[in-house]
Amino acid sequence: MTDPVIRADSAIRTDPVIRLLLADDHPVVRAGLRAVLESERDFVVVAEAATAERAVELAAEVEVDVVLMDLQFGPGSAMNGAQATAAITARTAAPRVLIVTTYDTDADTLPALEAGATGYLLKDAPPEELARAVRSAAQGRTALAATVADRLLERMRTPSAALSARETEVLGLVADGLTNQRISQRLHLSQATVKSHLVHIYAKLGVDSRTAAVREARVRGLIRRGV
């Protein structure tokens, strides 16, 4: 587990700075983010976390303005990025959370935004876009990757055809190969409710089977593509 990394000079800087916490289980990714961000005059990385749980702890212990949060952590973390985001943003005067991840499906973006994330960016974003997103998040303004923004706009345009967060969750478990019984146990729903969700999913996607629903959802970017 990575201990907080505090910059010794952060307390004596006189120009306005945005204090950052990097939460990612890959040391190389954190090092890359640190190098890019600290090339900006107004950014200072005050702490790093290798697990979602540690990110939640540090966000409460260290003065932070923006948390850059990954969505998926390794086996050493019981929480995911969305859960950590919810825990962080639930506090009074909490720092903003900017999701920085490789995942851009509805199954990833919706839970994170519903958890309170101010922005959502992909790891392949150019450095200047990352810097703009951090500054926007620090000011409480939303910053979204273009693909994410486009899909959210499409959901607003055709709400009747958009899968709900729960429907997306159910379909993701179908894609993982779970039966209705297993899905009901995982989500604490009755099997009748699971079947009802599937009926609605089929209607919205214009399909008539589980396989077709998964295939169409992957094409539309609603759930992750199979490995």
Side-chain angles (χ1 to χ4, degrees):
M1 182 179 298
T2 301
D3 291 326
V5 179
I6 310 299
R7 283 177 59 97
D9 62 341
S10 62
I12 62 175
R13 291 183 64 160
T14 58
D15 54 318
V17 297
I18 298 173
R19 296 160 297 191
L20 308 176
L21 163 59
L22 308 182
D24 194 294
D25 61 332
H26 293 97
V28 172
V29 172
R30 295 199 307 273
L33 286 173
R34 175 184 282 274
V36 169
L37 294 166
E38 292 198 327
S39 67
E40 300 288 333
R41 175 71 179 168
D42 54 337
F43 294 164
V44 56
V45 176
V46 298
E48 297 182 11
T51 66
E53 290 86 350
R54 187 57 176 152
V56 174
E57 293 173 356
L58 288 172
E61 296 171 0
V62 180
E63 288 192 34
V64 176
D65 299 306
V66 179
V67 180
L68 281 76
M69 178 76 68
D70 194 8
L71 277 186
Q72 299 297 323
F73 290 79
S77 183
M79 300 176 74
N80 61 35
Q83 292 167 330
T85 297
I88 290 171
T89 58
R91 294 191 303 106
T92 303
R96 307 291 182 177
V97 177
L98 172 63
I99 302 297
V100 182
T101 185
T102 57
Y103 306 110
D104 67 346
T105 68
D106 281 9
D108 301 300
T109 59
L110 294 180
L113 295 175
E114 289 176 351
T118 300
Y120 197 108
L121 208 63
L122 301 181
K123 287 181 177 178
D124 61 358
E128 59 272 19
E129 184 178 348
L130 176 61
R132 284 196 301 268
V134 170
R135 294 189 181 100
S136 294
Q139 296 171 9
R141 293 187 287 112
T142 301
L144 299 174
T147 55
V148 174
D150 288 346
R151 204 152 50 241
L152 289 176
L153 183 59
E154 184 62 27
R155 290 178 64 87
M156 294 175 62
R157 288 172 175 162
T158 57
S160 62
L163 298 187
S164 68
R166 178 63 90 182
E167 289 167 350
T168 301
E169 189 175 21
V170 168
L171 189 53
L173 294 177
V174 170
D176 289 340
L178 273 66
T179 63
N180 286 3
Q181 181 179 10
R182 290 284 305 282
I183 293 172
S184 69
Q185 294 170 346
R186 177 77 64 85
L187 300 181
H188 306 289
L189 302 172
S190 69
Q191 290 193 54
T193 299
V194 173
K195 290 179 181 178
S196 177
H197 282 314
L198 288 173
V199 169
H200 293 152
I201 290 168
Y202 293 171
K204 290 178 179 180
L205 297 182
V207 299
D208 58 6
S209 72
R210 297 164 75 93
T211 301
V214 170
R215 182 172 58 249
E216 181 64 20
R218 284 176 170 158
V219 168
R220 297 190 189 186
L222 305 181
I223 60 175
R224 294 178 194 164
R225 295 182 178 274
V227 179

